[in-house]
Each structure stands twice: as C-alpha cells, then as structure tokens.
Amino acid sequence: MSNVRQRKPISVTTKPERPGDEDVQPNARWSLLCKIVLFVFIILPFTCLLACIVLIESPINPEPITDSLPEPPKLEGPLAQNDLLVFQGERLFEGQVIGAESIVYQSGHLYTGTADGKILHIDLMTKIIDTVTTLGPPPCGQIIDEKRCGRPLGMRFDKDGYLIVVDAYLGMYKINVASRDAFQLFPGSMKVDGKKLGVLNDLDIASDGTIYFTETTPYRRENFMLEFLEGRAQGRLLKYDPAENKTEVLYKNLYFPNGVQLSKDDSYLLICETSKARIIKYHISGPKQGTIEMFAENLPGLPDNIRRSSGGGYWVAFGACRDAERFNLLDKLQPYPWIRKQLAKIPARFLISTFPACTLIIEFDKEGNIIRSLKDPNGEKFSYLSEVHDDAGYLYLGSFIVPYIGKVNTYKKPVVG
Ligand SMILES: *[C@@H]1O[C@H](CO)[C@@H](O)[C@H](O)[C@H]1NC(C)=O
C-alpha cells in the first residue's frame, strides 16, 4: 500500500519537464482571465442572488408534510390515456371570456365570473356576451387590480332565481340577473370565529336556503401558490344562513378546500381538497353529522370544482395533472419544507409554469368510484380547467385562467380508419 502512495507524487513532478513548456504560458494567462470573468460575472452574482433569496423573509412557514401524497396513480382502467377532450372538444368565445372559473347554465344561457371582476351573461344562441355587473370599481383587468375589482369564483342560482356568487376578495353577493342589481350579503373583510375571511372559493345552496361555502386559504387569491407551497391545513368550510344573516364555521383545518357539491338529499357535502389531490365527504345530518370521511383520494390531478353529472354522479375538473409518467414539482417538494420556503419568494407565474401541461376531467359515481376520464394529454386544446357543467351530455368547461370556455360533445364518436 505505502509503495503505491509514494509512487504517485514522483510521476507528477516528472511531468512538467516535457518540451515546449514556454508555449503554455499565454494559455495559462488566458485561462486565468476566463476564471476571473466566470467568477466575477457568473458565480459571484449567482451566489449573491441565492444569498439574497435565502435572506429575504419567506411569506410562508411550511412544515415537513408527514402524510405526503402517495405515488400518483397509474394510467389504467378508466384513467387510461386518451385524447377525448381534444377530439370531442371545441373552444367557445376565444379571447372574449378570460378565466371563467365557475359556470352556471340556464336553458341556453351561461353565467360566469371572469378575471377582470365581471359577472357575464352569455347567450349561446346569439353568441352575444353582456356584462351583468361588476362587483368592484374599475379600472380592472390586471392581476394587481384584483383586490379592488374582485374575482368572482363559485356561483349557483338559488331557488328564487337569484345568482349567488362568492368573490375571492369581496364577499358573497346576491344578483338579480334581469335587473342587474347586485346586493352584498356580507363583505370579504368580515371576521368569522375571530378570523378574517380569506379566499372565498365555491358554494352550494341547500333546499332550505342554507349556503355552504369554502374558504380556501388565508392568503390572497393572487398568491394561491403560497398555500400549495406551505402545505398546511388552514382552509375552512362555512355555512351562511341568509334569513338570519349569520355565518358559522362547520369545519376547520382543511387542505385547500375548493369546489363544493351537496348530495341530492342535502345530507352531505363533497369538498375538493386541491393540494391533497382528494375529495372528502362532510356529513351535514345523520349519525355521522359533523364528521368527514374520504370520498376519493390519490387522484391523478389537483381537483378544482365539483358539479353533478347528468348520469347521477359528479364531474370534477382538474387544474393540473399528476400522474406516474410526468414529473410533478409539487409532489416532489412535499418532504422539503426549506426548499418550499425559498420557492415561495419567486413570483407565482413562474411556478405555475412548472405544472405539467396535461388536462383532464373525471366523472365519479355516487360512491366516489371513477367512471371515466376525458383527457387532453398535452394541453393542446384546453388547460387549467376549473369546472364542468353537464347539460345532458354536452359539457361546458370553465378555467381559472385561459381566455375561452370549453365545450365537449360526449356523443361524438371517434372516426375509425
Ligand atoms: C350581514 O352581517 C355582516 C356582518 O355583520 C354585515 O357586514 C352585512 O352588511 C350584513 N348583511 C346584511 C344583508 O344585512
């Protein structure tokens, strides 16, 4: 052993004695210059930038996630890869309707809320779009205007024909779509249970008039990526009694509670927990009243809104996909709170672009089994979906960001040959 060690330095010292040694000098100077340039212009600024990022105070305080998401599901059975959304789908009103997060359909008319804070009425027959109302004062249209202009999200008609809307910032509204009067039921700044309301996201209305709604995160909507990165359960399920003007918290510590859908008999609510890729069931009445249980978990994407399907089950739109075949940053980062803390300092739009470009919607039966999935594997036709409205097999698709409404004809058969 010691022999081998001694031999090495000897062979090294003999090396410089080769001829032409003086030619190396300019080269060495050149390479020194290169190293200096590399250091001064690349390594030093990059290190400073990293140091600065680390020194900035993070807006979040993530914890290591103990019950991390399992490996995403395999693409088999009803989840098998397909391009049905591309083949059966079309874009409507392209460039005219931006970020139609939630859609309400009423005999040939659509109502939706858009990124510029408007509630729109769309006549599907005449293709005329008109503004029913805006909830906040103009000018609107930029993401920085959102807090003032509002961002209407979930909406439903109540049994008297008023459109009930939750706005991420401004609270809950009751809108007469004929007279265009909007009436604020409560403001977004209201405190419930000692805590100021965060992002209001979706609602459903029971036959007795009670409105159930979700508060997704205490952060502002434009910063929703923070909630994903933080990964804490800080969302709430609430109920609003319009007769008494009373709001109360039904369930706390939910993970990014998003879409809500009542069962037919109003005995339970289904709630999409977006950041946990699952749907839970909250019992409103019966022996399990006030408790939650799993409806569907380890889903192949991040579920947004949930609505009834014409087949008696439920449609869920996914804002992003997660499957075994694609790299997914959010899944991979779950065990690393320090990295998530640093990433939270980067503007959200860079992070959104790391979501895989694949799109899907899923139909569930009443028990939470997946009946079928319709996909656009490369996001060719649709992306960032948020809601499916099923009109007897014709599906209208909302999105929280893209500038169109999707329409899918589920009766259209593939052309063979
Ligand atoms: C309901 O109560 C809230 C909170 O006290 C209040 O801000 C709001 O104006 C009330 N709404 C109606 C319709 O009275």
Side-chain angles (χ1 to χ4, degrees):
M1 272 311 276
S2 62
N3 256 351
V4 178
R5 271 193 197 145
Q6 276 173 1
R7 229 176 260 158
K8 262 195 173 166
I10 295 164
S11 71
V12 169
T13 52
T14 54
K15 259 195 172 167
E17 287 170 16
R18 68 202 154 107
D21 209 19
E22 62 278 12
D23 294 348
V24 178
Q25 280 310 94
N27 264 345
R29 238 179 272 140
W30 186 234
S31 94
L32 181 67
L33 190 69
C34 278
K35 276 181 196 152
I36 291 172
V37 167
L38 187 73
F39 181 75
V40 171
F41 291 101
I42 296 173
I43 297 175
L44 194 65
F46 193 69
T47 314
C48 286
L49 184 70
L50 274 186
C52 288
I53 290 177
V54 172
L55 287 175
I56 297 171
E57 199 189 336
S58 178
I60 62 170
N61 183 20
E63 275 177 348
I65 295 174
T66 45
D67 56 339
S68 299
L69 288 167
E71 272 296 297
K74 292 211 171 71
L75 303 184
E76 53 192 23
L79 289 179
Q81 196 63 283
N82 64 65
D83 59 0
L84 289 168
L85 281 184
V86 184
F87 171 72
Q88 298 179 323
E90 60 176 315
R91 292 180 181 186
L92 304 179
F93 308 103
E94 196 158 2
Q96 298 175 69
V97 182
I98 300 166
E101 156 106 5
S102 181
I103 292 173
V104 184
Y105 175 91
Q106 206 180 45
S107 49
H109 300 259
L110 297 181
Y111 294 89
T112 188
T114 51
D116 50 3
K118 286 178 182 156
I119 309 290
L120 297 181
H121 161 230
I122 302 169
D123 187 327
L124 290 170
M125 192 75 101
T126 63
K127 308 244 183 313
I128 293 172
I129 303 176
D130 62 306
T131 304
V132 175
T133 185
T134 46
L135 303 177
C140 302
Q142 303 295 319
I143 197 135
I144 52 160
D145 303 326
E146 264 199 15
K147 194 177 189 307
R148 177 178 28 95
C149 293
R151 180 61 172 103
L153 297 177
M155 53 179 65
R156 310 258 189 176
F157 275 112
D158 73 5
K159 61 175 188 297
D160 300 322
Y162 289 99
L163 188 63
I164 308 293
V165 177
V166 275
D167 185 286
Y169 301 86
L170 304 178
M172 190 180 282
Y173 289 80
K174 177 175 179 174
I175 298 166
N176 180 333
V177 294
S179 71
R180 297 167 187 239
D181 291 323
F183 178 76
Q184 190 183 55
L185 294 172
F186 59 81
S189 58
M190 183 172 78
K191 274 189 179 174
V192 181
D193 220 7
K195 216 175 125 197
K196 197 178 154 296
L197 288 172
V199 172
L200 306 187
N201 204 321
D202 195 25
L203 75 134
D204 200 2
I205 308 169
S207 56
D208 67 359
T210 306
I211 302 171
Y212 296 91
F213 65 102
T214 48
E215 178 203 43
T216 299
T217 159
Y219 298 118
R220 277 164 43 179
R221 196 206 77 100
E222 69 207 50
N223 296 327
F224 73 94
M225 277 303 293
L226 296 181
E227 184 61 58
F228 279 112
L229 291 168
E230 188 154 51
R232 282 173 188 263
Q234 41 195 359
R236 301 190 286 183
L237 172 70
L238 302 102
K239 97 175 182 188
Y240 175 71
D241 177 351
E244 303 278 327
N245 187 30
K246 217 179 105 208
T247 308
E248 68 182 273
V249 178
L250 291 178
Y251 210 92
K252 284 189 274 203
N253 304 332
L254 294 171
Y255 287 97
F256 211 101
N258 198 331
V260 279
Q261 174 63 56
L262 280 157
S263 63
K264 266 216 163 88
D265 63 356
D266 291 344
S267 68
Y268 61 86
L269 267 172
L270 297 176
I271 307 161
C272 293
E273 278 191 306
T274 304
S275 62
K276 274 277 183 264
R278 68 187 180 194
I279 303 166
I280 53 172
K281 185 190 262 195
Y282 171 85
H283 292 277
I284 295 171
S285 57
K288 294 180 187 167
Q289 182 182 353
T291 65
I292 57 173
E293 61 185 327
M294 202 55 69
F295 180 72
E297 59 186 325
N298 198 22
L299 297 173
L302 305 177
D304 198 325
N305 282 351
I306 174 167
R307 294 294 184 265
R308 288 221 177 91
S309 76
S310 56
Y314 304 95
W315 278 113
V316 174
F318 291 80
C321 77
R322 55 183 289 272
D323 63 50
E325 288 163 23
R326 312 219 189 200
F327 175 79
N328 186 321
L329 189 67
L330 286 176
D331 266 43
K332 294 283 180 283
L333 286 177
Q334 292 230 359
Y336 308 109
W338 189 83
I339 300 179
R340 286 188 275 125
K341 202 166 168 170
Q342 306 314 317
L343 284 175
K345 302 166 185 178
I346 296 170
R349 61 177 180 280
F350 295 116
L351 296 170
I352 294 173
S353 61
T354 67
F355 284 145
C358 44
T359 308
L360 82 155
I361 59 175
I362 290 179
E363 186 179 9
F364 292 88
D365 68 13
K366 274 190 294 199
E367 274 68 53
N369 305 305
I370 295 176
I371 301 174
R372 56 176 165 164
S373 65
L374 274 58
K375 305 186 181 193
D376 178 350
N378 300 307
E380 267 171 71
K381 187 154 274 171
F382 304 128
S383 33
Y384 305 119
L385 296 182
S386 52
E387 190 175 304
V388 180
H389 177 88
D390 186 342
D391 175 40
Y394 291 90
L395 312 179
Y396 292 94
L397 310 179
S399 160
F400 58 94
I401 197 161
V402 301
Y404 52 80
I405 284 175
K407 185 178 179 184
V408 177
N409 174 357
T410 60
Y411 301 109
K412 193 171 168 185
K413 293 277 175 287
V415 186
V416 180

